[in-house]
Amino acid sequence: MTAPAGGAVAFLGPVGTFTHQAVLTWARERGTLGGPGAGSDEEPGAGPLRPEPLGTVGEVHDAVASGAADRGVIAIESSVEGHVVPSLDALVGSPDVVAVDEVVLDVSFDAFVRPGHDPGALTEATAHPHGLAQCHRFTASRGLRAVPASSNAAACRDLAGHQVAYGPRLCGELYGLETLAERVEDFPGARTRFLVLCRRDDAPAVLRGTDAPAWRTMLAVTPVVTGPGVLARITAAFGERGVNMSSLVTRPLKVREGQYVFVVTLDAAPWQPGVRDLFDDLLAAGDSLKVLGAYPAEPGGRGLDGVLPDHVPTGGVRRGDDAATVARGLLW
Amino acid sequence: MTAPAGGAVAFLGPVGTFTHQAVLTWARERGTLGGPGAGSDEEPGAGPLRPEPLGTVGEVHDAVASGAADRGVIAIESSVEGHVVPSLDALVGSPDVVAVDEVVLDVSFDAFVRPGHDPGALTEATAHPHGLAQCHRFTASRGLRAVPASSNAAACRDLAGHQVAYGPRLCGELYGLETLAERVEDFPGARTRFLVLCRRDDAPAVLRGTDAPAWRTMLAVTPVVTGPGVLARITAAFGERGVNMSSLVTRPLKVREGQYVFVVTLDAAPWQPGVRDLFDDLLAAGDSLKVLGAYPAEPGGRGLDGVLPDHVPTGGVRRGDDAATVARGLLW
């Protein structure tokens, strides 16, 4: 896949967010992109891509749907927080926008200071409260007082001489700051997965032009009737066609109490034979289907697996455990 | 269910959070509780409950597991953001703590001012950046400048005479503030669901003493082998025993790449006959099982259904749609 030259890439701003960093990473991996200061007066179709910060995920969708932006980049899943549900809901609710690529980013904070600051006069650390929480040890080890900011980017932009700001690496370049220390987060290894959106009507051409050894598909399945057995029927259909699900999320529907939409990630492209048969089976059963995205699968190790916090089930029970252990684990 | 008298209820602080509000709501509905200023020198087992603010969800778990707190309250699911994944992971990873009750709360902000403030001199609005984002319209309509705080509770506690702070209703009482306006959030109707935790070894006695018309169970299922068909097998087992799943979340396991734990919510208690049979079936198939919680089901309308933002799938396709519509929806 190649990033289109000269187009705009909409993302959730302000300039200097992790999503902005994802836009730059994606452009570097897939194509070309102008610097963060690239003006909007460049010739469309001729120059590098232009990152366009917008105020909400909804505005990113609208910009892509209307053609005002060629692509949009949104955060969809974090190794720590799970799926970004508002982003998921926006994709489920959008008739005109679909994901055609993904980017996976280390979520790491650098500590920035004003060039020429007095090292003995640093008294405060500033970032979004989430950033402050994630860099608590560094703040404590330097005896700094934590001062909240509206965003990490705003903290970097408005940095005073007696302050240390935490933000994505990008913020150092953007705001002309000096890097005091790299990767200062308490728990390294967190990653976030981003999706690259384009107009649904443009997606077939974009995807057909992409050569990838493996694909993933995000699919929304809305069954006509729910109740015991519906998820069993749907997952059985996957099993029968030999299509692997690597993730499944249920989201309640607003329209009907107790009815759910299932968002499934499958390890194949929508046009591959087993998947086509599976989709036919589900349609024949009366389900409503919508492909939310199709994108090259990240080669091993770049996804979110393997970087997760320790949440292995402990205290679970297995066949053969004694009756007391089983009763304790199962609340019998 | 009755809240135990005289015990401590641990929650994610500081004092004045929505979780604190959930502790008070739960205590009011289920038993007795002292005011937020209740001292820790009360006789255990004799006086009202004491809310104990702690710094992290992990500390709440530890306090419950060690017996330092009789109960813990954690946020588990929001109508807007979906599951609180770190809380889910903490439950999955804890051998000694289990959920025995739930509380559902409207997430609504009131606008507070200092008593005796000069109404003409209000120039700033302050809250956690999330609170500021959720009350953006009120801020704009009054021409206030947004000033971030580390938490909504901190914004209320440190409120200056020229500021308006946004926070849960509770903060007004806690910090002696005057209510300028109620329910000032941009999008009313958001709800958060909280779980009440106790020691796993105490849970059977707590649950057997509870008379409820309907129950819910949260179950972690860790299959021995994964791949195409595993989720189909598990969901088929539910269907065969007529046990309804109302939610399913997949979480990757840290230990083995590509292996998942399924967190399922079922509409029954773990000790009810169909559920016992189902658990036996899953154990016989080799799965590891762990009940994460069992609690009375909220009577109709109090849960998260029906309050969700508009995320009905649009652009989905159905059996009988023409070939072009199907190809567009499925990226064929």
Side-chain angles (χ1 to χ4, degrees), chain A residues 14-16 112-115 122 124-128 147-167 171-172 174-178, chain B residues 145-148:
Chain A
V15 163
F112 300 108
V113 288
R114 281 269 162 229
L122 294 173
E124 293 181 350
T126 181
H128 186 278
V147 176
S150 60
S151 72
N152 299 317
C156 292
R157 184 192 60 205
D158 303 335
L159 189 62
H162 66 289
Q163 291 181 319
V164 176
Y166 305 129
C171 282
L174 273 179
Y175 299 112
L177 303 177
E178 191 181 310
Chain B
R145 193 174 72 88
V147 176

Side-chain angles (χ1 to χ4, degrees), chain B residues 39-226:
Chain B
S40 58
D41 54 353
E42 296 187 29
E43 193 71 30
L49 288 186
R50 285 169 291 118
E52 296 273 5
L54 296 176
T56 65
V57 167
E59 289 173 36
V60 173
H61 271 262
D62 292 346
V64 174
S66 71
D70 297 82
R71 295 288 186 277
V73 173
I74 57 166
I76 193 70
E77 190 179 9
S78 134
S79 59
V80 177
E81 307 282 341
H83 278 92
V84 181
V85 169
S87 292
L88 202 60
D89 288 351
L91 263 181
V92 168
S94 163
D96 297 319
V97 167
V98 69
V100 291
D101 208 353
E102 75 171 350
V103 201
V104 179
L105 208 73
D106 286 345
V107 175
S108 181
F109 291 84
D110 286 354
F112 301 109
V113 288
R114 282 268 164 232
H117 75 285
D118 172 3
L122 293 173
T123 55
E124 292 182 350
T126 180
H128 186 279
H130 287 182
L132 288 172
Q134 288 176 59
C135 304
H136 175 73
R137 279 186 209 157
F138 188 88
T139 304
S141 73
R142 303 263 174 153
L144 303 173
R145 193 174 72 88
V147 176
S150 58
S151 72
N152 299 318
C156 291
R157 184 191 60 205
D158 304 334
L159 189 62
H162 66 289
Q163 291 181 320
V164 176
Y166 304 129
R169 182 138 313 164
L170 166 69
C171 283
E173 310 155 27
L174 272 177
Y175 299 112
L177 302 176
E178 190 180 309
T179 303
L180 179 66
E182 295 187 346
R183 301 185 168 271
V184 298
E185 63 274 11
D186 292 354
F187 302 101
R191 282 190 209 151
T192 297
R193 197 162 68 82
F194 300 83
L195 293 179
V196 179
L197 312 178
C198 82
R199 288 180 67 231
R200 183 172 282 275
D201 291 331
D202 297 340
V206 170
L207 295 171
R208 294 311 180 272
T210 303
D211 185 30
W215 290 84
R216 280 200 167 149
T217 299
M218 267 177 81
L219 176 74
V221 183
T222 315
V224 198
V225 281
T226 53

Side-chain angles (χ1 to χ4, degrees), chain A residues 258-281:
Chain A
Q259 203 189 17
Y260 288 81
V261 55
F262 303 106
V263 178
V264 183
T265 304
L266 30 141
D267 296 341
W271 53 82
Q272 290 174 339
V275 180
R276 289 187 80 108
D277 294 339
L278 166 66
F279 289 2
D280 279 333
D281 294 345

Side-chain angles (χ1 to χ4, degrees), chain A residues 106-129:
Chain A
D106 287 343
V107 175
S108 182
F109 290 85
D110 287 354
F112 300 108
V113 288
R114 281 269 162 229
H117 74 287
D118 173 2
L122 294 173
T123 54
E124 293 181 350
T126 181
H128 186 278

